[in-house]
Amino acid sequence: MSIVINNQGRFDNSEALDFIDIDSAFNVSQLDDLLVAAGVRIFFGSCADGRFLTLGRQLRLRGYAGHIRVVGSLLPDQFPMALKLGIDSAEITEAHGARCTEDQWVAQAARAQGNYQSRLAG
């Protein structure tokens, strides 16, 4: 079982999207093939591997307007950067959620002012 963290930092498992799954080693030159997807889920193995952030940003730069979720061991202090680069939500294991509690995610999400969601809202 996993925990979904929305862009406010809240634990929220109510969202049901049809995702296309890719991993952080996905070839950037093939990102245009994903632009029609409702959701893209980027799996990564380590929080030290920043390729998942690059993929999210590259999707947004190509005009992707769907939902981008990262799946892996994201740390709460990495969450603001992920949001600023166009990531909409994160998915972590329950064990990771027990170590990195919801209040930590909420506090870090509040630091993400000026992310693309804010700009789109006006």
Side-chain angles (χ1 to χ4, degrees), residues 36-110:
V36 297
V40 175
R41 199 162 41 178
I42 305 169
F43 287 79
F44 64 97
S46 166
C47 60
D49 178 3
R51 293 179 295 176
F52 69 95
L53 296 171
T54 300
L55 288 172
R57 179 69 177 146
Q58 289 298 315
L59 277 168
R60 294 298 180 206
L61 289 173
R62 286 174 163 78
Y64 182 70
H67 191 97
I68 302 173
R69 175 173 297 160
V70 294
V71 182
S73 57
L74 186 73
L75 298 173
D77 63 344
Q78 294 174 307
F79 197 47
M81 179 58 70
L83 294 173
K84 287 180 182 182
L85 293 175
I87 306 300
D88 294 295
S89 62
E91 188 174 330
I92 60 174
T93 65
E94 286 184 357
H96 189 59
R99 290 187 305 273
C100 302
T101 61
E102 185 177 37
D103 60 326
Q104 292 173 317
W105 293 98
V106 169
Q108 293 299 325

